[in-house]
């Protein structure tokens, strides 16, 4: 799940570093080679905070969800075809940037219409039939670990500065991160409006083989809101009262004695 955060940042980091350093993402620390610096990104943790009473977290009704990249209708760059029976929950264009329905698009039956052609690709979250399960939101806090490994301190500091700037810039432009994309299973999970800040800087050295590497590290704080949607099949059948019938009976008035 947290790999989605690493994947989101990987391309920007690679562009910022160029050929100066090898990039490693994930939980396993890099093994730098002589003459080649390294930068490591690890999405270390993301904790939810339901408060003192988890039972008080608000839960809504569940629907079958799917995520789909939309293709514009031929010769209509502002119109996109939708699958039948689906309602648009939200739209990202480009992915990660949520568009405001009132300002950017409307759903007209099986067509999504934009006031002006949106930047591509266009990613829509679609809602289908009701399902058993629930949707809930709760605050979340986490941490990203970012470190630069080089043969001397100034080189490590320069690499860390470029990498840190890249990570903070990308997270400042993102409205939502899909941690578990809907459609592949019963679970969908996303992080809304992540906010990142520099929490701590560290310097250290690590000896690998017969060489000492200088390591400049940054702990990046992260907060946002987790939405978890669980859809586990069709809902239980419910009875529906279609009409109420009443009968009246006239009772003869009682004669006085």
């Amino acid at each position: 799940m947290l790999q989605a955060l690493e994947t989101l940042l990987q391309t920007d980091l690679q562009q910022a570093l160029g050929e100066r350093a090898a990039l490693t993402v994930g939980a396993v620390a890099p093994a730098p080679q002589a003459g080649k610096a390294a930068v490591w990104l690890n999405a270390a943790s993301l904790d939810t905070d339901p408060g003192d009473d988890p039972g008080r977290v608000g839960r809504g009704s569940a629907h079958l969800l799917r995520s789909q990249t939309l293709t514009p209708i031929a010769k209509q760059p502002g119109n996109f075809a939708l699958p039948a029976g689906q309602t648009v929950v939200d739209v990202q264009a480009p992915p990660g940037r949520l568009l405001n329905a009132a300002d950017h698009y409307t759903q007209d039956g099986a067509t999504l219409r934009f006031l002006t052609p949106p930047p591509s690709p266009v990613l829509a979250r679609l809602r289908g039939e009701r399902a058993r399960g629930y949707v809930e939101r709760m605050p979340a806090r986490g941490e990203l670990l970012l470190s630069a490994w080089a043969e001397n301190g100034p080189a490590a500091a320069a690499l860390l500065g470029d990498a840190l700037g890249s990570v903070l810039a990308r997270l400042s432009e993102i409205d939502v991160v899909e941690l578990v994309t809907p459609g592949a299973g019963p679970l969908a999970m996303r992080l809304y409006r992540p906010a990142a800040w520099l929490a701590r800087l560290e310097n250290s050295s690590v000896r690998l083989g017969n060489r000492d590497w200088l390591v400049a590290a940054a702990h990046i704080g992260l907060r946002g809101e987790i939405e978890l949607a669980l859809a586990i099949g069709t809902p239980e059948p419910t009875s529906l009262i279609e009409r109420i019938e009443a009968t009246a009976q006239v009772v003869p008035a009682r004669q006085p004695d």
Side-chain angles (χ1 to χ4, degrees):
M1 296 177 184
L2 294 180
Q3 288 84 354
L5 281 166
E6 298 165 349
T7 301
L8 168 70
L9 300 166
Q10 187 170 3
T11 299
D12 294 274
L13 278 170
Q14 193 63 71
Q15 291 177 352
L17 298 172
E19 297 299 322
R20 294 179 297 157
L23 177 63
T24 300
V25 297
V28 179
Q33 303 297 319
K36 184 70 170 181
V39 169
W40 176 34
L41 172 70
N42 177 26
S45 65
L46 189 62
D47 300 323
T48 59
D49 182 15
D52 296 334
D53 182 6
R56 295 181 60 185
V57 175
R59 289 186 171 182
S61 58
H63 291 77
L64 297 178
L65 298 174
R66 60 191 288 189
S67 183
Q68 182 168 327
T69 300
L70 302 181
T71 303
I73 299 173
K75 299 182 179 180
Q76 301 180 44
N79 295 336
F80 296 76
L82 297 170
Q86 300 290 311
T87 301
V88 174
V89 178
D90 57 48
V91 176
Q92 302 173 39
R97 297 296 299 272
L98 288 172
L99 299 183
N100 188 313
D103 296 333
H104 295 97
Y105 65 87
T106 59
Q107 181 176 355
D108 182 8
T111 302
L112 190 65
R113 303 188 188 278
F114 285 83
L115 301 179
T116 57
S120 60
V122 175
L123 181 66
R125 172 172 277 207
L126 305 173
R127 183 177 68 194
E129 298 178 353
R130 284 197 59 188
R132 287 185 293 116
Y134 56 86
V135 177
E136 66 182 15
R137 282 197 188 191
M138 64 185 75
R141 293 178 68 94
E143 185 179 51
L144 303 176
L145 303 180
L146 182 65
S147 60
W149 303 49
E151 295 182 335
N152 59 72
L159 284 172
L160 180 64
D162 291 343
L164 179 61
S166 172
V167 169
L168 295 178
R170 170 55 62 185
L171 291 174
S172 72
E173 297 177 345
I174 291 295
D175 298 316
V176 63
V177 181
E178 302 289 349
L179 301 178
V180 180
T181 302
L187 181 68
M189 189 183 302
R190 57 188 356 189
L191 175 65
Y192 276 102
R193 293 175 176 81
W197 67 94
L198 176 61
R200 187 165 76 250
L201 290 172
E202 294 178 345
N203 281 331
S204 62
S205 64
V206 175
R207 188 166 187 83
L208 296 175
N210 59 354
R211 181 181 296 274
D212 289 323
W213 291 86
L214 278 298
V215 182
H219 294 248
I220 303 170
L222 188 67
R223 68 171 179 269
E225 191 176 38
I226 288 286
E227 180 188 82
L228 185 151
L230 183 67
I232 49 177
T234 57
E236 297 292 338
T238 57
S239 299
L240 177 65
I241 299 176
E242 294 184 352
R243 65 177 184 272
I244 297 177
E245 295 183 352
T247 59
Q249 181 179 5
V250 177
V251 179
R254 182 179 177 184
Q255 298 296 324
D257 295 335

